[in-house]
Amino acid sequence: MSRRIAIASDHAAFAMKAELAEWLRNEAWTVADLGPDGTDSVDYPDYGYALARTIEAGEADFGVALCGSGIGISIAVNRNPAARCALVSEPLSASLARQHNDANVIALGARLTGIEMAKACIAAFLSTDFLGDRHQRRVEKLSNPQGA
């Protein structure tokens, strides 16, 4: 599997995004930093939508979405049926999101999650495989809401 990951945030999570992007590069991931480029106020939906489009286009295999709470940007990412974004705060949820939901984007809240916990969540997320089997039909429904 390729090791391409996209990362996006709002202004509240800019510092966390920068640190996580550097950490991911050091872990041998090819990182597409979708912005923002600083701490000036921006609208998280714009960055969530851009991240989801990157996943949909196949330009990244996984994504990391960050905002102050993680809630707003996760909602934005999940507007795109190609993206399955899980808001997590600890590694078990990150693993389960991959195992059961084939999540391809992880969302974290920079105001709620410390950097070391964020790294632990991302590491768990990226090292866990989708179980498939009985979970596959459910994931297909997530990716095709009109067919449900």
Side-chain angles (χ1 to χ4, degrees), residues 3 20 33-34 39 53 58 60 63 72 83 88 98 108 133 137:
R3 293 177 59 89
L20 290 174
D33 184 339
L34 303 179
T39 57
R53 285 191 304 270
V88 304
R98 288 284 308 129
L108 298 155
D133 193 37
R137 76 176 183 276

Side-chain angles (χ1 to χ4, degrees), residues 91-105:
L92 178 58
S93 294
S95 292
L96 290 171
R98 288 284 308 129
Q99 286 179 342
H100 294 184
N101 309 113
D102 198 19
N104 49 15
V105 180

Side-chain angles (χ1 to χ4, degrees), residues 4-10 13-22 24-25 29-38 47 50-51 54 59-60 62 64 66:
R4 298 174 305 156
I5 193 164
I7 189 167
S9 72
D10 70 354
F14 172 76
M16 178 177 271
K17 177 183 66 80
E19 189 165 344
L20 290 174
E22 180 180 343
L24 286 162
R25 287 183 187 102
W29 285 86
T30 300
V31 178
D33 184 339
L34 303 179
D37 296 326
Y47 294 90
L51 179 54
T54 300
E59 296 167 2
F62 296 103
V64 177
L66 307 164

